[in-house]
Amino acid sequence: MDQILIMNHLDFPILSTTIFLPLVGACLLLFLRNDTVIKVTASVTGLINFVISLLLYVDFNVATHLFQFGEMKAWIPAYNINYALGIDGITIFLILLTTFLTPLCVLSAWSAIQTRVKEFMFCILMMESAMIGVFCALDFILFYVFWEAMLIPMYLLIAVWGGPRKDYASIKFFIYTLFGSVFLLVAIIALYLNNQTFSIPAAMSGNYSFTFQFWVFLAFALAFAIKVPMFPFHTWLPAAHTEAPTVGSVFLASVLLKMGTYGFLRFCLPVTPQASVYFAPLMIVLSVIGIIYGGLVCLSQTDMKKMIAYSSVAHMGFATLGIFAFTLFGFEGALLQMLNHGVTTGGLFLCVGIIYERTHSREIFDNAGLGKIMPVYTGLFGLFAISGFAFPGTNNFVGELYILLGTFLQHKVAGFFAVVGAILAAAYMLRLLKQIVWGREDKRIIPDMNAREIIYLVPLAVFVIWMGLFPRPFVLTVEKTLMHLSSQLQTYLH
């Protein structure tokens, strides 16, 4: 473990702090009674955790692919289970994305959530802890505990604060993800029986027969394909997004979907490389179907939230396409796409939440023609919309460009269909933008965005432009880890 894990050299356990600080804040909420104090406490907790997490980026060593900021304690020695944490180029931005979004989500829910405020904020902070834990865990049991812990607060967010069909959506979400979790557990047990350890780095450096890899890959792939979600395992997503409160949709699209693509990068490729190469054609076909299918369905949607949900199927199809193209460009593009989709789609869902608070409708026609009435809102909405179809100069352009370059190097036909998907994205996003800005003229009086709404949307907008114009710091940070992953797979590609 010491050879692949650089132990934490800071004066405090930064990964444990980032994981458990939100949980401490959540427990503190239990003793508070005033709703305003509860919201302020949740906001401050999220903000402090974001500031602490920035130290990870400042102190991150981009010259190595090894896990950094390592923490290791024996947890259940009898079964060789450890409390092991560490991050690398694959996980650092996923952690920062989580800590970045949490205080913004708390602000966005300030006036939208009027009932059971304490329980709502508790769920948000609890989910933040679990999500960061998933990205930091280097022991399979620890990883699985955090993986399952995410389900409970997300289920509650949909089931308690969701829309009219919240019961149907929450149960469907829970059954689908629980079904995937069973296969994940099967793969973990198989690896333990083979290695006699739950260490993730040990599993990544193991040498397994093709037959063993074949079955472990299938179990992993089912779990992660549901979480992405890949076609045809996507049917839970539109229902969950449509019925979830705005914060639930943001967390779901921005972070929880990334657990699937993270799983492919962290487990399938390094643990079962030969099987990953064997199944790559199938994964590429499913990715391309998801891109085209998601784009076509978006063209017929009239509910803004449902349209953004289906666009996530297409965008995450790009991410899995980049992963299974097995090129450095593809890997880098997939990781950037995961980060960019989290920011852009989060911004779009927050925009839908803002207008829903004012008009109580998510229908495109009901909210058409806001250009003159809400100029600040339509300006920010327009930025996220053009980012959604990867307009040059925005963040998604960088990710999709890398993915297309990586795909064309290995699979020209798949690259062609991915380009078709990108054209479909431009079509449905421009259609949405045209309706929202110029759709109709009337004399409605709808207040533009207030200061609080601007405060939580502007940071996302800044990131869209920053990544779009100057992506080099992001690429540099992930490059060494992905170069190492790419070199590991070269043996099986020829």
Side-chain angles (χ1 to χ4, degrees):
M1 177 72 84
D2 291 340
Q3 296 175 346
I4 53 178
L5 178 65
I6 301 173
M7 300 306 288
N8 179 42
H9 61 279
L10 301 177
D11 294 333
F12 69 105
I14 185 169
L15 294 183
S16 291
T17 304
T18 311
I19 292 171
F20 292 108
L21 181 62
L23 194 58
V24 171
C27 293
L28 182 61
L29 297 183
L30 299 177
F31 300 97
L32 304 177
R33 293 178 179 275
N34 183 285
D35 284 352
T36 302
V37 176
I38 288 170
K39 292 172 189 174
V40 170
T41 304
S43 301
V44 171
T45 303
L47 191 60
I48 292 173
N49 209 34
F50 173 61
V51 172
I52 292 173
S53 69
L54 288 177
L55 295 175
L56 294 172
Y57 180 70
V58 172
D59 214 42
F60 189 78
N61 184 358
V62 299
T64 178
H65 67 273
L66 303 179
F67 292 104
Q68 303 179 43
F69 306 101
E71 296 176 33
M72 172 75 79
K73 298 286 182 187
W75 184 13
I76 309 176
Y79 295 98
N80 203 10
I81 299 173
N82 297 302
Y83 176 79
L85 304 176
I87 64 169
D88 62 1
I90 294 176
T91 45
I92 181 169
F93 285 124
L94 296 175
I95 294 168
L96 291 175
L97 175 67
T98 307
T99 59
F100 175 56
L101 286 173
T102 300
L104 303 183
C105 284
V106 172
L107 278 180
S108 75
W110 204 274
S111 60
I113 301 300
Q114 299 291 339
T115 58
R116 299 181 177 178
V117 174
K118 180 190 298 185
E119 292 87 344
F120 186 87
M121 296 300 170
F122 182 91
C123 285
I124 290 178
L125 294 178
M126 181 181 171
M127 196 154 55
E128 184 187 10
S129 279
M131 291 187 296
I132 297 172
V134 165
F135 294 132
C136 294
L138 293 182
D139 182 280
F140 272 118
I141 295 300
L142 188 63
F143 169 83
Y144 194 75
V145 168
F146 285 127
W147 179 276
E148 291 300 291
M150 290 186 308
L151 296 183
I152 300 167
M154 177 49 73
Y155 168 80
L156 292 174
L157 285 179
I158 301 173
V160 177
W161 294 275
R165 300 183 70 216
K166 58 188 179 184
D167 291 339
Y168 165 76
S170 58
I171 290 173
K172 191 172 185 179
F173 162 78
F174 196 81
I175 290 175
Y176 262 81
T177 49
L178 191 63
F179 181 78
S181 297
V182 171
F183 286 96
L184 177 61
L185 186 59
V186 169
I188 290 172
I189 291 172
L191 286 168
Y192 174 75
L193 294 176
N194 191 84
N195 301 332
Q196 303 301 308
T197 175
F198 287 105
S199 167
I200 291 174
M204 292 166 62
S205 58
N207 188 16
Y208 312 105
S209 69
F210 176 72
T211 303
F212 182 81
Q213 290 189 35
F214 181 95
W215 292 110
V216 170
F217 177 90
L218 278 181
F220 271 144
L222 270 171
F224 302 141
I226 290 173
K227 191 70 86 176
V228 172
M230 293 182 74
F231 179 91
F233 305 105
H234 65 282
T235 60
W236 64 268
L237 184 67
H241 269 312
T242 306
E243 300 304 321
T246 299
V247 169
S249 296
V250 173
F251 272 130
L252 195 58
S254 300
V255 185
L256 262 68
L257 303 190
K258 310 304 176 293
M259 302 294 174
T261 43
Y262 167 69
F264 282 126
L265 282 169
R266 171 64 75 230
F267 302 117
C268 287
L269 269 54
V271 176
T272 60
Q274 199 174 355
S276 296
V277 173
Y278 178 81
F279 281 104
L282 173 63
M283 304 304 285
I284 287 173
V285 169
L286 292 179
S287 300
V288 170
I289 292 175
I291 292 170
I292 302 294
Y293 169 81
L296 290 174
V297 174
C298 282
L299 286 172
S300 62
Q301 296 302 313
T302 59
D303 184 314
M304 289 193 288
K305 214 171 179 186
K306 193 173 283 187
M307 197 204 82
I308 298 168
Y310 276 110
S311 76
S312 292
V313 176
H315 286 137
M316 295 309 291
F318 271 101
T320 51
L321 179 64
I323 291 171
F324 285 95
F326 293 139
T327 61
L328 182 57
F329 269 132
F331 290 151
E332 290 175 345
L335 203 50
L336 295 179
Q337 178 78 354
M338 291 158 63
L339 179 63
N340 293 333
H341 176 262
V343 172
T344 300
T345 306
L348 285 170
F349 274 123
L350 289 172
C351 284
V352 174
I354 288 171
I355 198 63
Y356 183 77
E357 281 192 55
R358 288 159 169 76
T359 66
H360 304 291
S361 172
R362 297 192 303 260
E363 288 294 315
I364 295 175
F365 180 77
D366 293 341
N367 296 297
L370 297 176
K372 290 183 179 178
I373 306 171
M374 303 175 66
V376 177
Y377 174 82
T378 50
L380 287 168
F381 184 87
L383 178 64
F384 294 125
I386 64 171
S387 168
F389 66 86
F391 190 79
T394 62
N395 56 340
N396 275 311
F397 175 75
V398 180
E400 288 195 15
L401 178 65
Y402 273 59
I403 290 170
L404 290 174
L405 285 172
T407 305
F408 271 112
L409 284 173
Q410 294 285 351
H411 310 282
K412 291 182 173 52
V413 175
F416 169 78
F417 282 107
V419 170
V420 174
I423 295 171
L424 287 174
Y428 64 73
M429 277 298 179
L430 286 175
R431 165 179 164 267
L432 173 65
L433 188 58
K434 172 179 173 292
Q435 288 294 322
I436 295 299
V437 180
W438 299 286
R440 61 177 177 178
E441 290 194 10
D442 57 30
K443 296 182 179 178
R444 287 178 296 172
I445 299 176
I446 304 175
D448 206 345
M449 293 171 61
N450 57 40
R452 176 180 56 83
E453 292 164 339
I454 292 173
I455 286 171
Y456 68 70
L457 270 186
V458 164
L460 297 172
V462 169
F463 179 87
V464 167
I465 297 170
W466 177 20
M467 168 68 99
L469 297 179
F470 190 52
R472 183 57 189 157
F474 299 92
V475 176
L476 186 66
T477 304
V478 305
E479 198 166 49
K480 208 68 178 181
T481 303
L482 296 180
M483 284 176 67
H484 177 70
L485 179 61
S486 180
S487 66
Q488 284 182 306
L489 290 164
Q490 292 306 311
T491 308
Y492 304 98
L493 291 174
H494 303 291

